[in-house]
Amino acid sequence: MEDLQVRNMSKSASGTVENPGKNVRAKSGLNKSILDQGWFEFRRQLEYKLVWKGGKLILVPPQYTSQKCSCCGCIDRNNRKTQAEFSCQRCGLEMNADHNAAINILAAGHAVKACGEIGVGQLREAGTFRALGA
Ligand SMILES: [Zn+2]
């Protein structure tokens, strides 16, 4: 699973009186959607159940999972044509953007399981479900 910082992602964009935020209405809608869907609680419950059944939740850095081609590894912001469309600028792979990102997240998780730390950023394996509540 991507190690998303839900608290930071759902921060208000309203700013201050001196420095008002931009796109406040759109950001407010996104925040409501993130909070309504309960991303943090879903992750907490998933890890709790996995630990209970003897499994582990592996968290990977979310950087570039949606821009990286799952076929050739090319990372380019132009790979992501729209929210739903992925089109690799190097190898021409075209597929649903969420499906491509899911393949990248799975591959990153397998890399953690096989090798420990690799690649960009720090991969970490969640120890107990309490660690996520901290
Ligand atoms: Zn590619």
Side-chain angles (χ1 to χ4, degrees), residues 57-103:
L57 178 64
I58 298 174
L59 301 172
V60 300
Q63 290 83 10
Y64 309 114
T65 55
S66 64
Q67 297 176 7
K68 181 180 178 181
C69 176
S70 60
C71 181
C72 74
C74 169
I75 297 173
D76 189 324
R77 69 173 47 188
N78 295 320
N79 285 347
R80 190 79 184 262
K81 292 290 183 192
T82 66
Q83 184 67 24
E85 294 174 69
F86 184 90
S87 179
C88 181
Q89 302 301 299
R90 185 161 69 191
C91 76
L93 174 75
E94 292 193 1
M95 66 189 310
N96 176 277
D98 288 337
H99 187 191
N100 179 69
I103 292 169

Side-chain angles (χ1 to χ4, degrees), residues 19 21 27 29 35 38 42 70 73 79 84 105 113 130:
N19 295 314
K27 180 69 170 102
L35 296 172
F42 175 77
S70 60
N79 285 347
I105 294 163
K113 192 142 176 63
R130 284 182 316 187

Side-chain angles (χ1 to χ4, degrees), residues 34-52:
I34 289 170
L35 296 172
D36 281 352
Q37 293 172 26
W39 291 3
F40 179 83
E41 183 60 17
F42 175 77
R43 181 170 116 176
R44 194 189 71 77
Q45 284 288 330
L46 179 62
E47 183 162 23
Y48 168 75
K49 299 284 184 180
L50 284 168
V51 169
W52 187 19

Side-chain angles (χ1 to χ4, degrees), residues 8-21:
N8 293 341
M9 292 174 70
S10 58
K11 274 187 180 170
S12 171
S14 60
T16 62
V17 173
E18 296 83 23
N19 295 314

